[in-house]
């Protein structure tokens, strides 16, 4: 008999978590104005809010932290971290920052001018924010297939070369770079194929436009290339990652994802000119060039994290867990963005809560229902997150309305996945009785989902 699959690690340290009663959760959610970001973490049983900075570090990472060199300039920890980045990416110039959006801030302060056009396969919200706040335009060039949640294709995160070429042709001289996000977070943690990376890169270079890789989940993307793309089955994750980066001119990184640390980020490139340009913004915003917002011990942990997370076993354990949750949802007939993404499952709330009108935020309603059911904190990636149109101030109801179940790295077991699936099934089974949603009572002008206050209707 073939042995079943199991995790590629064992547990050395644990953190207790606590269940609560439905009455307690009713009270807490009310106090949090039906916004899960305003809950206290101790009021949560299983936390699927994000996979960003929420992973568990290994014994190797924790022991590396003890060797942190906290020198202001030229710390040994910086060189360890820089060497790890160079080895994995092939980029020789490395600028540390405190997280991914800080890397964007430094790079874009140097590169983005008002009126610029910056195409990308669904820019992440902070990336888009950093482009739009500089009065430039982020244009989505993701393939149209990504919008059909039930369509199963292996590389649903791909960029569309036809859409890109049209933009490059019509905006010569006004596209400072494009952003290729791997995996494509916004459309559900869907991967980009090597063939697509190659084609998009060649197209950009034909027009003299550099490629910036938003690399938060580059290792998960490499895993999907290895397991789904012909010709890569016998290559290592490190070989695949190196090839991916060979088609890019620069990368920004949120190390809180595939770096396996709780805080950190960086920019890496081989372009001397960009490196020099970024230095001028790193120093005032982030700090001196050999720490840029990170402690020496954090850079040490990151060097080890990058090495560990570019090993096949680690990635297989993670992605199989996400797939396991997806299989459980399949048993119950719960619709989600198919196939399962690398870091999360995105449940199609619009087709679950069919009686709740768009104006009453079905995905946010489902998020609240799941919390009330079992103390599970997921998050809305839908109409609240989409904000209002900057000109008309109308809610943007044209995208998808999803509930994201985001899985932290090395934190929960498949028993927790079972609890999540059954809790969601219980909500799903009574979906016909959920006819009213939520109404906004207070909201901020930008990125409202973090602080919005809502009232339950009906
Ligand atoms: C998380 C993320 C960022 C921003 O990184 P932070 O570390 O949260 O600032 C940028 N791009 C992508 C694709 C991300 O997932």
């Amino acid at each position: 008999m073939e042995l079943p699959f199991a995790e590629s690690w064992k547990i050395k340290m644990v953190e207790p978590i606590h269940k609560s009663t439905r009455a307690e959760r009713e009270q807490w959610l009310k106090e949090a104005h039906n916004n899960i970001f305003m809950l206290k973490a101790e009021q949560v049983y299983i936390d699927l809010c994000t996979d960003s900075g929420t992973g568990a570090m290994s014994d190797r990472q924790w022991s590396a932290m003890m060797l942190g060199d906290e020198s202001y300039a030229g710390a040994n920890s910086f060189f360890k971290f820089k060497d790890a980045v160079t080895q994995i990416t092939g980029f020789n110039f490395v600028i540390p920052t405190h997280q991914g959006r800080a890397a964007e801030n430094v790079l874009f302060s140097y590169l983005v001018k008002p009126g610029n056009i910056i195409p990308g396969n669904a820019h992440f919200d902070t990336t888009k924010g950093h482009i739009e706040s500089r009065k430039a335009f982020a244009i989505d060039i993701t393939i149209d297939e990504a919008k059909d949640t039930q369509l199963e294709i292996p590389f649903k995160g791909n960029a569309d070369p036809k859409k890109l070429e049209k933009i490059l042709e019509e905006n010569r001289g006004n596209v400072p770079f494009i952003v290729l996000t791997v995996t494509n977070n916004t459309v559900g943690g869907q991967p980009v194929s090597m063939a697509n990376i190659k084609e998009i890169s060649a197209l950009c270079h034909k027009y003299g436009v550099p490629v910036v890789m938003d690399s938060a989940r580059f290792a998960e993307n490499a895993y999907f290339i290895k397991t789904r793309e012909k010709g890569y089955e016998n290559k290592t994750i490190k070989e695949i990652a190196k090839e991916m980066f060979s088609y890019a001119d620069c990368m920004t990184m949120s190390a809180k994802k595939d770096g396996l640390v709780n805080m950190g980020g960086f920019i890496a490139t081989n372009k001397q000119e960009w490196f020099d340009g970024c230095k001028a913004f790193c120093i005032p915003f982030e700090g001196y060039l050999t720490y840029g917002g990170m402690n020496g011990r954090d850079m040490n942990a990151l060097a080890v994290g990058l090495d560990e997370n570019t090993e096949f076993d680690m990635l297989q354990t993670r992605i199989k867990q996400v797939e396991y949750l997806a299989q459980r949802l399949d048993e119950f007939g719960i619709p989600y963005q198919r196939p399962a993404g690398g870091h999360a499952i995105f449940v199609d709330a619009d087709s679950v809560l069919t009686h709740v009108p768009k104006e009453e935020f079905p995905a946010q309603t489902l998020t609240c229902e799941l919390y009330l059911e079992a103390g599970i904190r997921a998050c809305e990636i839908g109409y609240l997150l989409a904000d209002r149109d900057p000109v008309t101030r109308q809610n943007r109801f044209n995208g998808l309305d999803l509930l994201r179940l985001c899985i932290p790295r090395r934190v929960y077991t498949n028993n927790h996945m079972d609890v999540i699936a059954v809790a969601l099934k219980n909500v799903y089974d009574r979906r016909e009785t959920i006819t009213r949603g939520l109404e906004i009572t207070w909201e901020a002008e930008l990125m409202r989902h973090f602080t919005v206050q809502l009232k339950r209707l009906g």
Side-chain angles (χ1 to χ4, degrees):
M1 192 171 169
E2 196 186 340
L3 295 176
F5 179 78
E7 290 78 7
S8 62
W9 36 257
K10 58 181 178 174
I11 296 163
K12 189 173 328 222
M13 191 187 281
V14 296
E15 175 184 343
I17 51 176
H18 301 286
K19 291 187 195 173
S20 50
T21 64
R22 173 134 192 153
E24 285 173 327
R25 294 192 291 274
E26 292 274 1
Q27 178 65 26
W28 293 335
L29 192 59
K30 205 163 143 199
E31 287 165 5
H33 301 279
N34 295 291
N35 178 346
I36 56 93
F37 287 105
M38 287 196 260
L39 289 169
K40 291 180 181 157
E42 66 191 20
Q43 296 166 340
V44 174
Y45 175 40
I46 300 174
D47 205 344
L48 307 181
C49 186
T50 177
D51 67 331
S52 180
T54 54
M57 292 207 298
S58 68
D59 52 354
R60 281 176 68 215
Q61 286 182 288
W62 278 109
S63 61
M65 286 193 84
M66 296 304 289
L67 299 174
D69 175 357
E70 306 301 342
S71 303
Y72 190 95
N76 158 283
S77 297
F78 169 74
F79 294 104
K80 265 193 210 162
F81 146 71
K82 177 176 173 285
D83 287 348
V85 172
T86 302
Q87 232 177 42
I88 286 165
T89 66
F91 292 129
N92 291 298
F93 300 121
V94 181
I95 293 187
T97 62
H98 79 273
Q99 62 185 91
R101 68 198 67 185
E104 291 164 356
N105 187 32
V106 168
L107 183 68
F108 295 2
S109 291
Y110 168 58
L111 289 178
V112 178
K113 303 284 177 289
N116 280 167
I117 306 279
I118 297 155
N121 56 336
H123 311 69
F124 182 66
D125 49 7
T126 62
T127 318
K128 195 172 183 161
H130 277 300
I131 291 170
E132 291 179 345
S133 68
R134 289 174 172 84
K135 308 222 172 328
F137 303 93
I139 314 278
D140 184 16
I141 54 161
T142 309
I143 53 169
D144 290 334
E145 290 92 325
K147 287 206 191 87
D148 177 356
T149 62
Q150 297 311 295
L151 180 71
E152 292 242 12
I153 52 171
F155 293 102
K156 224 173 176 175
N158 279 357
D160 184 335
K162 285 203 200 70
K163 287 185 192 172
L164 176 61
E165 181 142 37
K166 186 163 182 291
I167 296 170
L168 294 176
E169 190 62 54
E170 289 170 359
N171 296 279
R172 284 175 190 262
N174 196 29
V175 182
F177 58 91
I178 74 146
V179 182
L180 202 55
T181 304
V182 293
T183 56
N184 186 329
N185 186 353
T186 310
V187 306
Q190 299 291 330
V192 179
S193 71
M194 191 74 87
N196 190 246
I197 296 174
K198 224 160 136 174
E199 184 179 2
I200 294 295
S201 167
L203 191 56
C204 284
H205 293 152
K206 190 176 111 187
Y207 285 84
V209 172
V211 176
V212 173
M213 210 171 258
D214 180 350
S215 314
R217 298 182 184 80
F218 75 94
E220 291 171 10
N221 200 86
Y223 173 90
F224 285 119
I225 288 174
K226 182 175 169 72
T227 54
R228 293 182 185 173
E229 192 162 351
K230 221 171 138 19
Y232 290 93
E233 44 290 70
N234 296 320
K235 294 209 190 300
T236 65
I237 297 293
K238 284 187 169 69
E239 286 167 342
I240 295 170
K242 191 69 127 330
E243 185 180 339
M244 284 165 55
F245 289 118
S246 75
Y247 302 116
D249 300 275
C250 182
M251 69 184 285
T252 54
M253 178 75 187
S254 168
K256 302 169 72 170
K257 282 60 168 260
D258 274 352
L260 291 182
V261 290
N262 302 114
M263 193 56 71
F266 58 89
I267 301 165
T269 183
N270 280 330
K271 287 170 94 74
Q272 173 89 51
E273 200 188 330
W274 283 20
F275 177 58
D276 291 338
C278 286
K279 282 183 198 169
F281 294 99
C282 178
I283 295 173
F285 288 150
E286 294 297 298
Y288 183 64
L289 302 171
T290 58
Y291 71 87
M294 277 191 280
N295 297 305
R297 54 184 173 272
D298 293 344
M299 291 188 281
N300 270 14
L302 176 52
V304 177
L306 285 169
D307 177 52
E308 283 181 357
N309 205 31
T310 45
E311 286 298 319
F312 181 75
D313 287 355
M314 165 68 209
L315 290 158
Q316 188 185 35
T317 296
R318 164 159 184 69
I319 289 169
K320 282 215 179 265
Q321 182 167 55
V322 179
E323 284 170 2
Y324 176 80
L325 177 58
Q327 284 160 14
R328 296 302 323 265
L329 298 190
D330 283 342
E331 280 172 44
F332 303 136
I334 300 169
Y336 58 86
Q337 167 75 304
R338 307 185 77 90
H343 66 292
I345 302 287
F346 292 68
V347 177
D348 191 352
D350 247 352
S351 53
V352 174
L353 297 185
T354 51
H355 300 312
V356 177
K358 279 182 163 47
E359 293 72 22
E360 297 179 10
F361 304 103
Q364 182 68 12
T365 305
L366 190 59
T367 306
C368 289
E369 288 293 334
L370 182 63
Y371 175 72
L372 292 175
E373 178 68 28
I376 296 164
R377 171 157 71 174
C379 90
E380 191 244 29
I381 303 281
Y383 302 143
L384 273 180
L385 181 83
D387 272 326
R388 289 174 188 272
D389 183 284
V391 180
T392 66
R393 300 306 300 157
Q394 294 301 305
N395 281 304
R396 292 194 267 209
F397 289 125
N398 51 341
L400 295 170
D401 197 36
L402 307 168
L403 164 90
R404 184 178 77 169
L405 305 166
C406 198
I407 315 297
R409 294 168 182 77
R410 305 193 281 212
V411 171
Y412 294 114
T413 68
N414 284 1
N415 289 329
H416 295 108
M417 299 302 120
D418 287 336
V419 175
I420 297 158
V422 171
L424 201 55
K425 175 201 187 310
N426 291 346
V427 176
Y428 188 66
D429 287 349
R430 57 180 164 79
R431 65 191 182 281
E432 298 294 327
T433 67
I434 303 168
T435 56
R436 298 303 306 270
L438 301 155
E439 180 184 84
I440 295 178
T441 56
W442 185 87
E443 65 183 291
E445 223 172 274
L446 257 186
M447 305 199 99
R448 63 180 179 184
H449 58 291
F450 288 119
T451 51
V452 69
Q453 299 184 8
L454 301 133
K455 191 175 83 183
R456 271 167 91 178
L457 299 168

